[in-house]
Amino acid sequence: TEGPATSEFAQSLERDLNTVRGKWDRLHKFYLFLHVVLVFAALVLSGIVIPYAATYQMSDLAFVSGLIVALIIGLQNAFAIGGRWARYSAILAELQALTFQLHRCTTNVDQQDDDELERIAAKLEQINTRAFMQVPRGQGLSTVEEGNRPR
């Protein structure tokens, strides 16, 4: 179709693209924040608190700090926090490229290519579906089971 129908489709596609990008952007920010906090906490505990506690014979503090570091490592492994953050970064990069394609396609309304808009819509659906299907999975309870297995 031409004129307003194409422009309505382009506007609808842009709204959908912004909605999908917003959803994955929120997940990306959450997992980035969580990843940074956990890594920073583990580094501070293992690099500063535990050596300090060991130097000044504060065994309780060293023990608790060691347990917290082990818990942080377990959380990272069990829930693939770093892998999810990286995956959501890749999804956002793909969505940004799709946004550029859409803007390039809709810059001149008189020359909009409906086939190109359809390809962009199909690519958006593909990216979103793949993002749901290929979420990095942590080791879950197998991390705990493996730690409790006799050697």
Side-chain angles (χ1 to χ4, degrees):
T1 60
E2 295 181 10
T6 302
S7 126
E8 286 176 23
F9 178 56
Q11 290 172 359
S12 174
L13 185 56
E14 186 171 13
R15 279 192 304 275
D16 291 347
L17 182 57
N18 288 335
T19 300
V20 169
R21 190 176 53 233
K23 172 184 59 182
W24 294 113
D25 188 48
R26 284 189 298 279
L27 282 169
H28 173 258
K29 286 177 181 173
F30 172 76
Y31 279 100
L32 173 61
F33 175 77
L34 192 58
H35 179 70
V36 168
V37 166
L38 291 175
V39 168
F40 181 75
L43 289 173
V44 167
L45 288 170
S46 63
I48 297 171
V49 175
I50 293 174
Y52 175 83
T55 302
Y56 294 102
Q57 283 110 24
M58 303 170 84
S59 60
D60 290 343
L61 179 61
F63 176 74
V64 170
S65 297
L67 285 178
I68 293 172
V69 170
L71 176 66
I72 289 171
I73 292 169
L75 284 172
Q76 287 275 20
N77 289 335
F79 299 106
I81 292 168
R84 287 178 184 222
W85 162 73
R87 179 71 184 128
Y88 297 145
S89 293
I91 292 166
L92 287 173
E94 286 185 73
L95 291 171
Q96 187 63 40
L98 205 57
T99 302
F100 290 142
Q101 285 179 350
L102 179 61
H103 287 298
R104 198 170 46 244
C105 181
T106 59
T107 301
N108 187 347
V109 177
D110 295 331
Q111 296 179 352
Q112 278 186 353
D113 182 1
D114 286 347
D115 291 337
E116 182 64 21
L117 289 174
E118 290 290 343
R119 282 191 291 276
I120 291 170
K123 182 74 173 168
L124 176 59
E125 183 180 354
Q126 177 191 25
I127 291 169
N128 198 39
T129 301
R130 190 168 19 101
F132 276 117
M133 304 289 284
Q134 296 177 351
V135 174
R137 306 277 186 238
Q139 297 172 1
L141 288 179
S142 65
T143 302
V144 175
E145 292 167 359
E146 192 173 301
N148 290 332
R149 190 176 303 141
R151 301 188 194 278

